[in-house]
Short mmCIF file of all heavy atoms in Angstrom, two decimals:
data_model
loop_
_atom_site.label_atom_id
_atom_site.label_comp_id
_atom_site.label_asym_id
_atom_site.label_seq_id
_atom_site.Cartn_x
_atom_site.Cartn_y
_atom_site.Cartn_z
N PRO B 289 117.87 103.23 52.23
CA PRO B 289 117.96 101.81 51.88
C PRO B 289 116.71 101.02 52.25
O PRO B 289 116.76 100.02 52.97
CB PRO B 289 119.16 101.36 52.71
CG PRO B 289 119.06 102.19 53.96
CD PRO B 289 118.49 103.53 53.53
N SER B 290 115.57 101.44 51.76
CA SER B 290 114.28 100.91 52.22
C SER B 290 114.06 99.46 51.79
O SER B 290 114.47 99.05 50.70
CB SER B 290 113.14 101.76 51.67
OG SER B 290 113.29 103.12 52.03
N SER B 291 113.36 98.70 52.63
CA SER B 291 112.96 97.36 52.23
C SER B 291 111.88 97.42 51.16
O SER B 291 111.84 96.59 50.25
CB SER B 291 112.45 96.58 53.45
OG SER B 291 111.33 97.21 54.02
N PHE B 292 111.00 98.40 51.26
CA PHE B 292 110.07 98.73 50.18
C PHE B 292 109.80 100.22 50.24
O PHE B 292 109.91 100.85 51.28
CB PHE B 292 108.76 97.92 50.28
CG PHE B 292 107.84 98.34 51.40
CD1 PHE B 292 106.83 99.27 51.19
CD2 PHE B 292 107.99 97.80 52.67
CE1 PHE B 292 105.98 99.66 52.22
CE2 PHE B 292 107.15 98.18 53.71
CZ PHE B 292 106.14 99.10 53.49
N GLU B 293 109.49 100.79 49.11
CA GLU B 293 109.26 102.24 49.03
C GLU B 293 108.38 102.50 47.82
O GLU B 293 108.86 102.54 46.69
CB GLU B 293 110.58 102.99 48.90
CG GLU B 293 110.49 104.47 49.19
CD GLU B 293 110.21 104.75 50.67
OE1 GLU B 293 111.01 104.36 51.52
OE2 GLU B 293 109.14 105.38 50.93
N PRO B 294 107.06 102.66 48.03
CA PRO B 294 106.18 102.86 46.88
C PRO B 294 106.67 103.94 45.92
O PRO B 294 106.67 103.75 44.71
CB PRO B 294 104.85 103.25 47.54
CG PRO B 294 104.89 102.51 48.85
CD PRO B 294 106.32 102.58 49.30
N CYS B 295 107.09 105.07 46.43
CA CYS B 295 107.72 106.08 45.59
C CYS B 295 108.93 106.67 46.30
O CYS B 295 110.06 106.51 45.88
CB CYS B 295 106.76 107.20 45.20
SG CYS B 295 107.56 108.45 44.16
N GLY B 296 108.67 107.33 47.41
CA GLY B 296 109.73 108.04 48.10
C GLY B 296 109.83 109.46 47.61
O GLY B 296 109.72 109.72 46.41
N ILE B 297 109.99 110.36 48.52
CA ILE B 297 110.17 111.77 48.21
C ILE B 297 111.60 112.20 48.52
O ILE B 297 112.21 112.98 47.78
CB ILE B 297 109.19 112.63 49.05
CG1 ILE B 297 107.74 112.33 48.66
CG2 ILE B 297 109.49 114.11 48.90
CD1 ILE B 297 107.35 112.77 47.27
N GLY B 298 112.17 111.64 49.59
CA GLY B 298 113.47 112.08 50.07
C GLY B 298 114.56 112.01 49.03
O GLY B 298 115.41 112.91 48.95
N GLN B 299 114.56 110.95 48.21
CA GLN B 299 115.63 110.81 47.23
C GLN B 299 115.56 111.92 46.18
O GLN B 299 116.59 112.40 45.69
CB GLN B 299 115.61 109.43 46.59
CG GLN B 299 114.59 109.21 45.47
CD GLN B 299 113.18 108.94 45.96
OE1 GLN B 299 112.87 109.12 47.12
NE2 GLN B 299 112.33 108.49 45.06
N MET B 300 114.34 112.35 45.83
CA MET B 300 114.19 113.40 44.84
C MET B 300 114.52 114.78 45.43
O MET B 300 115.09 115.63 44.76
CB MET B 300 112.78 113.37 44.24
CG MET B 300 112.53 112.14 43.39
SD MET B 300 110.93 112.18 42.53
CE MET B 300 109.83 111.67 43.86
N VAL B 301 114.14 114.97 46.69
CA VAL B 301 114.51 116.22 47.38
C VAL B 301 116.03 116.32 47.47
O VAL B 301 116.62 117.37 47.21
CB VAL B 301 113.87 116.28 48.78
CG1 VAL B 301 114.37 117.51 49.53
CG2 VAL B 301 112.35 116.32 48.67
N ALA B 302 116.67 115.21 47.84
CA ALA B 302 118.13 115.20 47.93
C ALA B 302 118.75 115.62 46.59
O ALA B 302 119.67 116.45 46.55
CB ALA B 302 118.62 113.82 48.34
N GLN B 303 118.25 115.06 45.51
CA GLN B 303 118.79 115.42 44.20
C GLN B 303 118.64 116.91 43.92
O GLN B 303 119.54 117.53 43.33
CB GLN B 303 118.09 114.59 43.11
CG GLN B 303 118.48 113.13 43.12
CD GLN B 303 117.58 112.26 42.24
OE1 GLN B 303 116.44 112.62 41.96
NE2 GLN B 303 118.10 111.12 41.81
N ALA B 304 117.55 117.50 44.37
CA ALA B 304 117.33 118.93 44.14
C ALA B 304 118.36 119.79 44.83
O ALA B 304 118.57 120.95 44.46
CB ALA B 304 115.92 119.33 44.60
N TYR B 305 119.03 119.23 45.86
CA TYR B 305 120.07 119.95 46.60
C TYR B 305 121.48 119.47 46.23
O TYR B 305 122.44 119.78 46.94
CB TYR B 305 119.84 119.82 48.10
CG TYR B 305 118.65 120.62 48.59
CD1 TYR B 305 117.36 120.12 48.46
CD2 TYR B 305 118.81 121.88 49.15
CE1 TYR B 305 116.26 120.84 48.89
CE2 TYR B 305 117.71 122.61 49.59
CZ TYR B 305 116.44 122.09 49.45
OH TYR B 305 115.34 122.83 49.86
N GLY B 306 121.59 118.69 45.15
CA GLY B 306 122.90 118.21 44.74
C GLY B 306 123.46 117.17 45.69
O GLY B 306 124.68 116.98 45.76
N THR B 307 122.59 116.47 46.40
CA THR B 307 122.99 115.42 47.33
C THR B 307 122.66 114.07 46.69
O THR B 307 121.52 113.84 46.29
CB THR B 307 122.24 115.58 48.67
OG1 THR B 307 122.61 116.84 49.24
CG2 THR B 307 122.57 114.47 49.63
N LEU B 308 123.64 113.19 46.60
CA LEU B 308 123.45 111.92 45.89
C LEU B 308 122.71 110.92 46.78
O LEU B 308 123.20 110.56 47.85
CB LEU B 308 124.80 111.33 45.47
CG LEU B 308 125.45 111.86 44.19
CD1 LEU B 308 125.68 113.36 44.22
CD2 LEU B 308 126.74 111.10 43.90
N PRO B 309 121.54 110.44 46.36
CA PRO B 309 120.83 109.45 47.16
C PRO B 309 121.47 108.07 47.03
O PRO B 309 121.93 107.68 45.95
CB PRO B 309 119.42 109.45 46.57
CG PRO B 309 119.57 110.01 45.19
CD PRO B 309 120.75 110.90 45.20
N ILE B 310 121.52 107.36 48.14
CA ILE B 310 121.95 105.96 48.17
C ILE B 310 120.71 105.14 48.48
O ILE B 310 120.15 105.23 49.58
CB ILE B 310 123.04 105.73 49.24
CG1 ILE B 310 124.29 106.56 48.91
CG2 ILE B 310 123.39 104.25 49.35
CD1 ILE B 310 125.37 106.49 49.98
N VAL B 311 120.23 104.36 47.52
CA VAL B 311 118.93 103.72 47.63
C VAL B 311 119.02 102.24 47.33
O VAL B 311 119.92 101.77 46.64
CB VAL B 311 117.90 104.36 46.67
CG1 VAL B 311 117.82 105.87 46.88
CG2 VAL B 311 118.24 104.05 45.21
N ARG B 312 118.06 101.50 47.87
CA ARG B 312 117.84 100.14 47.39
C ARG B 312 116.88 100.23 46.21
O ARG B 312 115.89 100.98 46.25
CB ARG B 312 117.24 99.27 48.49
CG ARG B 312 116.91 97.87 47.99
CD ARG B 312 116.47 96.94 49.09
NE ARG B 312 116.04 95.67 48.51
CZ ARG B 312 114.77 95.34 48.28
NH1 ARG B 312 113.81 96.19 48.61
NH2 ARG B 312 114.47 94.18 47.74
N TYR B 313 117.15 99.47 45.17
CA TYR B 313 116.32 99.53 43.98
C TYR B 313 114.98 98.82 44.24
O TYR B 313 114.83 97.62 44.05
CB TYR B 313 117.02 98.87 42.79
CG TYR B 313 118.20 99.63 42.24
CD1 TYR B 313 119.40 98.99 41.97
CD2 TYR B 313 118.12 101.00 41.98
CE1 TYR B 313 120.48 99.68 41.44
CE2 TYR B 313 119.18 101.71 41.45
CZ TYR B 313 120.37 101.04 41.19
OH TYR B 313 121.44 101.73 40.66
N THR B 314 114.01 99.59 44.69
CA THR B 314 112.66 99.10 44.90
C THR B 314 111.69 100.23 44.64
O THR B 314 112.01 101.41 44.88
CB THR B 314 112.48 98.55 46.34
OG1 THR B 314 111.15 98.03 46.49
CG2 THR B 314 112.69 99.64 47.39
N GLY B 315 110.49 99.94 44.14
CA GLY B 315 109.46 100.95 43.93
C GLY B 315 109.97 102.17 43.20
O GLY B 315 110.71 102.09 42.22
N GLY B 316 109.57 103.33 43.71
CA GLY B 316 109.96 104.58 43.08
C GLY B 316 111.43 104.90 43.17
O GLY B 316 111.94 105.72 42.41
N LEU B 317 112.14 104.27 44.11
CA LEU B 317 113.58 104.49 44.19
C LEU B 317 114.26 103.98 42.93
O LEU B 317 115.20 104.60 42.42
CB LEU B 317 114.15 103.78 45.43
CG LEU B 317 113.57 104.21 46.77
CD1 LEU B 317 114.20 103.42 47.91
CD2 LEU B 317 113.77 105.71 47.01
N ALA B 318 113.77 102.86 42.41
CA ALA B 318 114.32 102.32 41.17
C ALA B 318 113.98 103.20 39.97
O ALA B 318 114.72 103.24 38.98
CB ALA B 318 113.81 100.91 40.94
N ASP B 319 112.85 103.92 40.06
CA ASP B 319 112.41 104.77 38.94
C ASP B 319 113.10 106.13 38.92
O ASP B 319 113.07 106.81 37.89
CB ASP B 319 110.89 104.99 39.01
CG ASP B 319 110.11 103.73 38.73
OD1 ASP B 319 110.54 102.93 37.89
OD2 ASP B 319 109.07 103.52 39.38
N THR B 320 113.69 106.55 40.04
CA THR B 320 114.19 107.93 40.13
C THR B 320 115.69 108.04 40.31
O THR B 320 116.23 109.14 40.20
CB THR B 320 113.52 108.66 41.32
OG1 THR B 320 113.68 107.87 42.51
CG2 THR B 320 112.03 108.87 41.06
N VAL B 321 116.37 106.92 40.58
CA VAL B 321 117.82 106.97 40.82
C VAL B 321 118.53 106.08 39.81
O VAL B 321 118.26 104.87 39.74
CB VAL B 321 118.18 106.54 42.25
CG1 VAL B 321 119.69 106.50 42.44
CG2 VAL B 321 117.54 107.49 43.26
N ALA B 322 119.42 106.68 39.04
CA ALA B 322 120.29 105.94 38.12
C ALA B 322 121.65 105.81 38.80
O ALA B 322 122.34 106.80 39.05
CB ALA B 322 120.42 106.69 36.79
#
């Protein structure tokens, strides 16, 4: 739930393991999580 996140790697790694990321829509988090 980052206040800002230029891209972020953790959310994409989580997806690779079938783990659903819970993110704030900012930076790359908004680009990678639907």
Side-chain angles (χ1 to χ4, degrees):
S290 304
S291 61
F292 72 93
E293 196 68 61
C295 180
I297 295 293
Q299 80 280 12
M300 292 186 280
V301 174
Q303 289 168 337
Y305 288 81
T307 298
L308 278 58
I310 297 175
V311 306
R312 176 173 174 261
Y313 289 133
T314 182
L317 301 179
D319 292 324
T320 53
V321 176

